[in-house]
Amino acid sequence: MESFDLVIRRGRVVTDQAVSQCDIAIVDGQIVTIEEEVQGGGRDEIDASGLHVFPGGVDPHVPFDEPGRTEWEGFASGTRALAAGGMTTFIDMPLNCTPVTVDGESFDRKHEAADVSCLVDFAFWGGLIPGNRDHLGELADRGVVGFKAFMCDAGIEEFPAADDLTLFEGMVTAAGLGLPVAVHAENDAITRGLLARARGEGRRSAADFVAARPPIAEIEAIHRAILLAEEAGCSLHVVHVSTARGVMLVDQARARGVDVTCETCPHFLLFVEDDLEELGVAGKCLPPLRTEAERLGLWSLLEAGAIPIVASDHSPAPPSLKTDRDFLDAWGGVSGCQSTLQLLLAAETERSITLSQIAAVLSGNPAERFGLRRKGRLAVGNDADVAIIDLGYDATLQESDLHYRYPPSAYVGCRIRGRMVRILRRGMTIIEDNKFVAAGGGRL
């Protein structure tokens, strides 16, 4: 007698606590049973023998540039790339789209566009910019996970940096709404001044760019953001931290009771500033790549649990803004949302990070931190967002593997691990044997 819609049998189920062989039963898109051996059958059954069953990944830092700038990426290509990399949920950033997501009307326009094209489920960040404090409530009413602010130039004219007054008053409002503020933490005076000096002196190399955004710019801004958030009583999240000292500032504040977290990105774990000569503009990001000492420091902190989230910060741009420009003027962003899980799985064989830690930093922790109920963990009552992966697959990433609108990526040539045998979004198969078998269907 059929009891379930789907049963995944004999897989090595990965939670953020352990890895064990279990069966997973699914009804109406939700997990209803996880047991060593589920009794009863399903209308469909998947034999996952010899495979690992991960929670679908949650990427909390993805600007997909829609509406208004789909020539940069767009929800259709971006979410296909996410799904191909085992990610089943993302949180879209409020800038790089037109209009930027800073009020209720702009949220509605983005929601309409996402409903049409997204293959995976989604949530949105609202923006915090000078002059939109009165609109934060309408964004909260529509369901944003929090508010993103830049403490330096964002590179998008419509999304100006938040000065300290804007940031502090926005934090006070966000605290009243029960939502976090996320910050891009770099000191605007330092970065703006050093970049202007480099341009004025005709210095436009990769090394000149890195020198114009020194570690102190990040460290000072993180320290200031923590002080403002602590005074405002606001939950704070620091995105794409590139320095071990920045992470330690967050860790120390959390130890004294401040509600603050941070994330880092695969490019800060894999590359260093000296790699930019070979990577070229594909490796330009904000903040920039750092030294080998910083890279190893981030790994140590990640393995120790001080970095709870790894996000892609996938930030694509068309060739006219990226590859057709010199290093100082090229768009600052790494294309990478498809590769995050496979890169960390490859690292698991070389570092002391475990499969359970990977599940935590890529799925469970971001879902919990940003209030995505029923996401991020393989647990009874949660959505059946599942990535069934063959960890015996070990390869080098090729540009032809990528589903972005513009395939060039800094990760091409890097070692990846894990073949996506089957990806399920709320119990529905969207990828089978590396082939897309569904289109659209993602929801807020």
Side-chain angles (χ1 to χ4, degrees), residues 125 128 145-149 151 167-168 170-171 174-175 178-185 220-239 241 246 249-251 253-254 256-263 308-309 369-370:
W125 287 98
L128 171 56
V145 302
F147 307 103
K148 169 71 178 294
M151 299 175 73
L167 186 56
F168 177 69
M171 286 176 168
L179 292 174
V181 167
V183 292
H184 177 129
E220 186 281 331
I222 291 174
H223 178 69
R224 181 160 35 101
I226 290 171
L227 289 178
L228 293 172
E230 187 172 14
E231 184 68 20
C234 178
S235 174
L236 175 67
H237 181 69
V238 186
V239 300
V241 179
L249 282 174
V250 171
D251 200 42
R254 189 165 56 246
R256 68 172 187 266
V258 182
D259 184 4
V260 55
T261 53
C262 66
E263 67 190 43
I309 295 170
R369 179 58 170 158
F370 304 118

Side-chain angles (χ1 to χ4, degrees), residues 270-271 279 343 346 395-398 410-417:
L270 294 179
F271 303 128
L279 294 172
L343 292 167
T396 298
L397 182 67
Q398 306 295 318
Y411 300 128
V412 169
C414 288
R415 177 178 169 237
I416 56 172
R417 178 173 170 234

Side-chain angles (χ1 to χ4, degrees), residues 243-432:
T243 60
R245 285 172 289 173
V247 175
M248 288 187 284
L249 282 174
V250 171
D251 200 42
Q252 291 161 6
R254 189 165 56 246
R256 68 172 187 266
V258 182
D259 184 4
V260 55
T261 53
C262 66
E263 67 190 43
T264 195
C265 307
H267 42 271
F268 296 127
L269 297 169
L270 294 179
F271 303 128
V272 297
E273 56 191 45
D274 290 343
D275 294 324
L276 288 171
E277 291 302 322
E278 181 177 349
L279 294 172
V281 293
K284 180 181 177 180
C285 52
L286 309 176
L289 301 177
R290 302 297 188 189
T291 63
E292 177 71 356
E294 293 286 12
R295 186 184 79 85
L296 294 176
L298 289 175
W299 266 117
S300 295
L301 289 162
L302 178 65
E303 291 163 348
I307 302 175
I309 295 170
V310 176
S312 72
D313 188 16
H314 175 74
S315 186
S320 61
L321 295 177
K322 190 71 169 174
T323 54
D324 295 349
R325 299 194 177 195
D326 67 31
F327 210 95
L328 215 60
D329 286 341
W331 179 258
V334 171
S335 292
C337 67
Q338 182 175 324
S339 305
T340 307
L341 174 56
Q342 290 178 308
L343 292 167
L344 286 190
L345 289 173
E348 186 262 344
T349 65
E350 301 168 357
R351 304 285 315 185
S352 61
I353 192 170
T354 67
L355 296 180
S356 289
Q357 284 179 298
I358 291 172
V361 299
L362 294 188
S363 301
N365 292 348
E368 181 178 357
R369 179 58 170 158
F370 304 118
L372 304 183
R373 294 179 301 152
R374 300 188 301 275
K375 298 293 185 185
R377 289 186 170 89
L378 298 176
V380 173
N382 278 7
D383 288 347
D385 298 333
V386 179
I388 303 175
I389 302 176
D390 176 9
L391 292 186
Y393 176 85
D394 202 304
T396 298
L397 182 67
Q398 306 295 318
E399 188 171 303
S400 59
D401 297 331
L402 299 172
H403 294 276
Y404 312 135
R405 185 173 292 276
Y406 301 105
S409 169
Y411 300 128
V412 169
C414 288
R415 177 178 169 237
I416 56 172
R417 178 173 170 234
R419 180 175 66 88
M420 303 300 149
V421 175
R422 195 145 167 175
I423 307 299
L424 294 88
R425 180 209 63 220
R426 284 178 277 111
M428 176 181 178
T429 297
I430 57 176
I431 291 179
E432 187 170 2

Side-chain angles (χ1 to χ4, degrees), residues 4-8 24-26 42-46 422 424 427:
F4 310 106
D5 296 335
L6 172 66
V7 180
I8 302 169
I24 300 176
I26 298 164
R43 290 201 303 270
D44 187 15
E45 298 211 358
I46 298 172
R422 195 145 167 175
L424 294 88

